[in-house]
Short mmCIF file of all heavy atoms in Angstrom, two decimals:
data_model
loop_
_atom_site.label_atom_id
_atom_site.label_comp_id
_atom_site.label_asym_id
_atom_site.label_seq_id
_atom_site.Cartn_x
_atom_site.Cartn_y
_atom_site.Cartn_z
N PRO A 291 17.27 15.63 -16.58
CA PRO A 291 17.25 16.83 -17.44
C PRO A 291 16.79 16.48 -18.86
O PRO A 291 17.00 15.38 -19.34
CB PRO A 291 18.70 17.29 -17.43
CG PRO A 291 19.31 16.66 -16.23
CD PRO A 291 18.60 15.36 -16.02
N TYR A 292 16.16 17.42 -19.50
CA TYR A 292 15.80 17.27 -20.90
C TYR A 292 16.99 17.73 -21.73
O TYR A 292 17.42 18.87 -21.65
CB TYR A 292 14.58 18.15 -21.18
CG TYR A 292 14.06 18.08 -22.62
CD1 TYR A 292 12.98 17.27 -22.94
CD2 TYR A 292 14.63 18.84 -23.62
CE1 TYR A 292 12.47 17.22 -24.22
CE2 TYR A 292 14.13 18.78 -24.93
CZ TYR A 292 13.07 17.97 -25.22
OH TYR A 292 12.57 17.91 -26.49
N GLY A 293 17.54 16.83 -22.52
CA GLY A 293 18.69 17.17 -23.34
C GLY A 293 18.72 16.32 -24.60
O GLY A 293 17.78 15.60 -24.90
N GLU A 294 19.81 16.38 -25.32
CA GLU A 294 19.88 15.71 -26.63
C GLU A 294 19.70 14.22 -26.50
O GLU A 294 19.14 13.55 -27.36
CB GLU A 294 21.21 16.02 -27.28
CG GLU A 294 21.34 15.49 -28.69
CD GLU A 294 22.61 15.95 -29.35
OE1 GLU A 294 23.32 16.78 -28.76
OE2 GLU A 294 22.88 15.50 -30.46
N ASP A 295 20.18 13.61 -25.39
CA ASP A 295 20.07 12.17 -25.22
C ASP A 295 18.66 11.75 -24.89
O ASP A 295 18.28 10.62 -25.15
CB ASP A 295 21.02 11.69 -24.11
CG ASP A 295 22.48 11.79 -24.54
OD1 ASP A 295 22.71 11.86 -25.74
OD2 ASP A 295 23.33 11.81 -23.64
N LYS A 296 17.87 12.64 -24.27
CA LYS A 296 16.56 12.25 -23.77
C LYS A 296 15.42 12.83 -24.59
O LYS A 296 14.31 12.34 -24.56
CB LYS A 296 16.42 12.69 -22.30
CG LYS A 296 17.34 11.96 -21.36
CD LYS A 296 17.00 10.49 -21.32
CE LYS A 296 17.90 9.72 -20.36
NZ LYS A 296 17.60 8.28 -20.35
N GLY A 297 15.65 13.94 -25.27
CA GLY A 297 14.58 14.55 -26.04
C GLY A 297 15.11 15.70 -26.88
O GLY A 297 16.27 16.08 -26.75
N GLY A 298 14.29 16.24 -27.73
CA GLY A 298 14.68 17.36 -28.54
C GLY A 298 15.36 16.95 -29.82
O GLY A 298 15.73 15.82 -30.04
N GLU A 299 15.51 17.93 -30.73
CA GLU A 299 16.10 17.69 -32.03
C GLU A 299 17.61 17.81 -31.91
O GLU A 299 18.14 18.80 -31.46
CB GLU A 299 15.59 18.72 -33.04
CG GLU A 299 16.29 18.77 -34.36
CD GLU A 299 15.86 17.63 -35.26
OE1 GLU A 299 15.04 16.82 -34.84
OE2 GLU A 299 16.33 17.58 -36.41
N SER A 300 18.36 16.77 -32.33
CA SER A 300 19.80 16.85 -32.31
C SER A 300 20.24 17.76 -33.45
O SER A 300 20.03 17.48 -34.61
CB SER A 300 20.42 15.46 -32.44
OG SER A 300 19.94 14.83 -33.61
N GLY A 301 20.84 18.86 -33.10
CA GLY A 301 21.21 19.85 -34.12
C GLY A 301 20.80 21.22 -33.65
O GLY A 301 20.90 21.55 -32.48
N GLU A 302 20.31 22.04 -34.59
CA GLU A 302 19.96 23.41 -34.26
C GLU A 302 18.90 23.45 -33.18
O GLU A 302 17.93 22.74 -33.20
CB GLU A 302 19.42 24.11 -35.53
CG GLU A 302 20.47 24.30 -36.62
CD GLU A 302 20.54 23.10 -37.53
OE1 GLU A 302 19.99 22.04 -37.20
OE2 GLU A 302 21.17 23.22 -38.59
N GLY A 303 19.13 24.34 -32.24
CA GLY A 303 18.12 24.59 -31.23
C GLY A 303 18.15 23.64 -30.05
O GLY A 303 17.34 23.76 -29.16
N THR A 304 19.10 22.70 -30.02
CA THR A 304 19.14 21.72 -28.95
C THR A 304 20.44 21.83 -28.18
O THR A 304 21.48 22.11 -28.75
CB THR A 304 19.00 20.31 -29.50
OG1 THR A 304 17.75 20.23 -30.18
CG2 THR A 304 19.02 19.28 -28.41
N VAL A 305 20.38 21.64 -26.88
CA VAL A 305 21.57 21.66 -26.05
C VAL A 305 21.68 20.36 -25.30
O VAL A 305 20.72 19.64 -25.14
CB VAL A 305 21.52 22.86 -25.08
CG1 VAL A 305 21.67 24.17 -25.83
CG2 VAL A 305 20.22 22.85 -24.30
N GLN A 306 22.85 20.11 -24.80
CA GLN A 306 23.08 18.85 -24.11
C GLN A 306 23.89 19.10 -22.86
O GLN A 306 24.73 20.00 -22.82
CB GLN A 306 23.83 17.85 -25.01
CG GLN A 306 24.03 16.48 -24.36
CD GLN A 306 24.64 15.52 -25.34
OE1 GLN A 306 24.89 15.86 -26.46
NE2 GLN A 306 24.88 14.31 -24.88
N GLY A 307 23.68 18.30 -21.82
CA GLY A 307 24.36 18.52 -20.56
C GLY A 307 25.83 18.21 -20.61
O GLY A 307 26.27 17.37 -21.38
N ASP A 308 26.62 18.91 -19.79
CA ASP A 308 28.03 18.59 -19.66
C ASP A 308 28.16 17.22 -19.05
O ASP A 308 27.29 16.75 -18.32
CB ASP A 308 28.72 19.62 -18.76
CG ASP A 308 28.94 20.94 -19.47
OD1 ASP A 308 28.88 20.94 -20.71
OD2 ASP A 308 29.14 21.95 -18.80
N GLU A 309 29.28 16.59 -19.28
CA GLU A 309 29.54 15.27 -18.69
C GLU A 309 29.50 15.37 -17.17
O GLU A 309 30.13 16.21 -16.58
CB GLU A 309 30.89 14.74 -19.18
CG GLU A 309 31.19 13.34 -18.69
CD GLU A 309 32.51 12.84 -19.22
OE1 GLU A 309 33.10 13.52 -20.05
OE2 GLU A 309 32.91 11.74 -18.80
N GLY A 310 28.74 14.51 -16.57
CA GLY A 310 28.65 14.48 -15.13
C GLY A 310 27.52 15.35 -14.57
O GLY A 310 27.18 15.23 -13.40
N ASP A 311 26.93 16.22 -15.40
CA ASP A 311 25.85 17.08 -14.93
C ASP A 311 24.52 16.46 -15.32
O ASP A 311 24.13 16.52 -16.48
CB ASP A 311 26.00 18.47 -15.54
CG ASP A 311 24.85 19.38 -15.17
OD1 ASP A 311 24.15 19.08 -14.18
OD2 ASP A 311 24.63 20.38 -15.86
N THR A 312 23.84 15.82 -14.39
CA THR A 312 22.62 15.11 -14.75
C THR A 312 21.42 15.50 -13.91
O THR A 312 20.30 15.18 -14.27
CB THR A 312 22.83 13.59 -14.58
OG1 THR A 312 23.18 13.32 -13.24
CG2 THR A 312 23.91 13.09 -15.53
N THR A 313 21.60 16.20 -12.81
CA THR A 313 20.45 16.43 -11.92
C THR A 313 20.25 17.88 -11.50
O THR A 313 19.15 18.22 -11.08
CB THR A 313 20.60 15.59 -10.64
OG1 THR A 313 21.80 15.96 -9.95
CG2 THR A 313 20.65 14.11 -10.96
N ALA A 314 21.26 18.73 -11.60
CA ALA A 314 21.16 20.07 -11.05
C ALA A 314 19.98 20.82 -11.65
O ALA A 314 19.83 20.91 -12.86
CB ALA A 314 22.45 20.85 -11.31
N GLY A 315 19.13 21.36 -10.81
CA GLY A 315 18.04 22.18 -11.26
C GLY A 315 16.78 21.43 -11.62
O GLY A 315 15.71 22.02 -11.74
N VAL A 316 16.85 20.12 -11.83
CA VAL A 316 15.69 19.37 -12.29
C VAL A 316 14.62 19.31 -11.22
O VAL A 316 13.42 19.41 -11.51
CB VAL A 316 16.11 17.95 -12.73
CG1 VAL A 316 14.88 17.16 -13.17
CG2 VAL A 316 17.10 18.03 -13.85
N ASP A 317 14.99 19.15 -9.98
CA ASP A 317 14.01 19.04 -8.90
C ASP A 317 13.17 20.30 -8.78
O ASP A 317 12.04 20.28 -8.27
CB ASP A 317 14.70 18.78 -7.57
CG ASP A 317 15.27 17.37 -7.51
OD1 ASP A 317 14.87 16.55 -8.34
OD2 ASP A 317 16.14 17.11 -6.66
N SER A 318 13.71 21.45 -9.21
CA SER A 318 12.95 22.69 -9.13
C SER A 318 11.91 22.78 -10.23
O SER A 318 10.99 23.60 -10.15
CB SER A 318 13.89 23.90 -9.17
OG SER A 318 14.60 23.92 -10.40
N VAL A 319 12.05 21.98 -11.29
CA VAL A 319 11.06 21.98 -12.38
C VAL A 319 9.81 21.25 -11.95
O VAL A 319 8.68 21.71 -12.16
CB VAL A 319 11.65 21.36 -13.67
CG1 VAL A 319 10.58 21.22 -14.76
CG2 VAL A 319 12.82 22.19 -14.17
N CYS A 320 9.97 20.08 -11.36
CA CYS A 320 8.80 19.30 -10.94
C CYS A 320 9.25 18.22 -9.97
O CYS A 320 10.41 17.87 -9.88
CB CYS A 320 8.08 18.67 -12.13
SG CYS A 320 9.15 17.63 -13.14
N GLY A 321 8.27 17.69 -9.23
CA GLY A 321 8.51 16.55 -8.36
C GLY A 321 7.50 15.47 -8.68
O GLY A 321 6.54 15.68 -9.44
N LEU A 322 7.71 14.28 -8.15
CA LEU A 322 6.80 13.19 -8.46
C LEU A 322 6.52 12.35 -7.23
O LEU A 322 7.28 12.32 -6.27
CB LEU A 322 7.38 12.31 -9.59
CG LEU A 322 8.71 11.60 -9.35
CD1 LEU A 322 8.52 10.27 -8.61
CD2 LEU A 322 9.40 11.34 -10.67
N ASP A 323 5.39 11.64 -7.29
CA ASP A 323 4.98 10.73 -6.24
C ASP A 323 4.34 9.51 -6.88
O ASP A 323 3.45 9.63 -7.73
CB ASP A 323 3.98 11.41 -5.29
CG ASP A 323 3.59 10.52 -4.13
OD1 ASP A 323 4.49 9.87 -3.56
OD2 ASP A 323 2.40 10.46 -3.80
N ILE A 324 4.81 8.30 -6.51
CA ILE A 324 4.36 7.07 -7.14
C ILE A 324 3.24 6.44 -6.31
O ILE A 324 3.36 6.30 -5.10
CB ILE A 324 5.52 6.06 -7.28
CG1 ILE A 324 6.63 6.66 -8.12
CG2 ILE A 324 5.02 4.76 -7.89
CD1 ILE A 324 7.87 5.76 -8.18
N ASN A 325 2.17 6.08 -6.98
CA ASN A 325 1.11 5.31 -6.34
C ASN A 325 1.19 3.90 -6.94
O ASN A 325 0.67 3.61 -8.03
CB ASN A 325 -0.28 5.93 -6.63
CG ASN A 325 -1.39 5.22 -5.88
OD1 ASN A 325 -1.35 4.01 -5.67
ND2 ASN A 325 -2.40 5.99 -5.49
N GLU A 326 1.88 3.02 -6.23
CA GLU A 326 2.12 1.67 -6.75
C GLU A 326 0.83 0.86 -6.91
O GLU A 326 0.67 0.09 -7.85
CB GLU A 326 3.08 0.93 -5.85
CG GLU A 326 4.48 1.55 -5.79
CD GLU A 326 5.43 0.75 -4.92
OE1 GLU A 326 4.97 -0.26 -4.33
OE2 GLU A 326 6.60 1.14 -4.82
N ALA A 327 -0.13 1.09 -6.04
CA ALA A 327 -1.38 0.32 -6.11
C ALA A 327 -2.16 0.67 -7.35
O ALA A 327 -2.74 -0.22 -8.02
CB ALA A 327 -2.21 0.57 -4.86
N GLU A 328 -2.22 1.95 -7.70
CA GLU A 328 -2.99 2.38 -8.85
C GLU A 328 -2.19 2.45 -10.13
O GLU A 328 -2.72 2.72 -11.20
CB GLU A 328 -3.60 3.78 -8.57
CG GLU A 328 -4.62 3.80 -7.45
CD GLU A 328 -5.80 2.92 -7.75
OE1 GLU A 328 -6.24 2.90 -8.93
OE2 GLU A 328 -6.30 2.25 -6.83
N ARG A 329 -0.86 2.18 -10.04
CA ARG A 329 0.05 2.26 -11.21
C ARG A 329 0.00 3.66 -11.81
O ARG A 329 -0.07 3.85 -13.04
CB ARG A 329 -0.31 1.23 -12.27
CG ARG A 329 -0.48 -0.19 -11.75
CD ARG A 329 0.84 -0.77 -11.23
NE ARG A 329 0.70 -2.20 -10.95
CZ ARG A 329 0.52 -2.72 -9.74
NH1 ARG A 329 0.41 -1.92 -8.69
NH2 ARG A 329 0.42 -4.03 -9.57
N THR A 330 0.02 4.69 -10.95
CA THR A 330 -0.01 6.05 -11.41
C THR A 330 1.14 6.85 -10.78
O THR A 330 1.72 6.43 -9.77
CB THR A 330 -1.34 6.76 -11.06
OG1 THR A 330 -1.51 6.75 -9.64
CG2 THR A 330 -2.51 6.07 -11.75
N ILE A 331 1.42 8.00 -11.39
CA ILE A 331 2.48 8.88 -10.89
C ILE A 331 1.91 10.31 -10.89
O ILE A 331 1.38 10.76 -11.92
CB ILE A 331 3.72 8.82 -11.79
CG1 ILE A 331 4.30 7.40 -11.79
CG2 ILE A 331 4.79 9.82 -11.33
CD1 ILE A 331 5.32 7.15 -12.86
N THR A 332 2.00 10.98 -9.79
CA THR A 332 1.56 12.37 -9.70
C THR A 332 2.77 13.28 -9.89
O THR A 332 3.77 13.18 -9.17
CB THR A 332 0.92 12.65 -8.33
OG1 THR A 332 -0.23 11.80 -8.16
CG2 THR A 332 0.46 14.11 -8.23
N VAL A 333 2.68 14.16 -10.87
CA VAL A 333 3.75 15.11 -11.18
C VAL A 333 3.29 16.50 -10.73
O VAL A 333 2.27 17.00 -11.18
CB VAL A 333 4.09 15.13 -12.67
CG1 VAL A 333 5.20 16.13 -12.97
CG2 VAL A 333 4.49 13.74 -13.16
N THR A 334 4.06 17.12 -9.82
CA THR A 334 3.75 18.43 -9.29
C THR A 334 4.66 19.48 -9.89
O THR A 334 5.89 19.38 -9.74
CB THR A 334 3.88 18.44 -7.76
OG1 THR A 334 3.03 17.44 -7.20
CG2 THR A 334 3.48 19.82 -7.20
N PRO A 335 4.14 20.48 -10.61
CA PRO A 335 5.00 21.46 -11.27
C PRO A 335 5.61 22.45 -10.28
O PRO A 335 4.97 22.83 -9.29
CB PRO A 335 4.06 22.16 -12.23
CG PRO A 335 2.71 22.04 -11.59
CD PRO A 335 2.72 20.70 -10.89
N GLY A 336 6.83 22.87 -10.57
CA GLY A 336 7.49 23.92 -9.82
C GLY A 336 7.78 25.09 -10.74
O GLY A 336 6.87 25.74 -11.24
N LEU A 337 9.07 25.35 -10.99
CA LEU A 337 9.44 26.43 -11.92
C LEU A 337 9.29 25.94 -13.35
O LEU A 337 9.35 24.74 -13.64
CB LEU A 337 10.90 26.84 -11.66
CG LEU A 337 11.21 27.37 -10.27
CD1 LEU A 337 12.69 27.71 -10.15
CD2 LEU A 337 10.35 28.58 -9.93
N SER A 338 9.09 26.88 -14.27
CA SER A 338 8.94 26.51 -15.68
C SER A 338 10.24 25.92 -16.21
O SER A 338 11.34 26.34 -15.82
CB SER A 338 8.50 27.72 -16.51
OG SER A 338 9.53 28.70 -16.52
N GLY A 339 10.11 24.94 -17.09
CA GLY A 339 11.27 24.27 -17.67
C GLY A 339 10.87 22.93 -18.25
O GLY A 339 9.71 22.54 -18.24
N LEU A 340 11.86 22.21 -18.75
CA LEU A 340 11.63 20.89 -19.34
C LEU A 340 12.37 19.84 -18.54
O LEU A 340 13.47 20.09 -18.01
CB LEU A 340 12.14 20.84 -20.79
CG LEU A 340 11.28 21.52 -21.86
CD1 LEU A 340 11.98 21.43 -23.20
CD2 LEU A 340 9.91 20.88 -21.92
#
Side-chain angles (χ1 to χ4, degrees):
Y292 181 98
E294 186 173 353
D295 290 340
K296 293 295 181 182
E299 170 78 358
S300 55
E302 294 87 348
T304 299
V305 290
Q306 183 175 359
D308 285 341
E309 183 177 355
D311 176 19
T312 59
T313 60
V316 178
D317 290 343
S318 61
V319 174
C320 57
L322 61 84
D323 183 43
I324 301 174
N325 186 326
E326 295 182 358
E328 295 298 321
R329 310 294 190 260
T330 60
I331 299 167
T332 299
V333 180
T334 303
L337 300 179
S338 65
L340 284 177

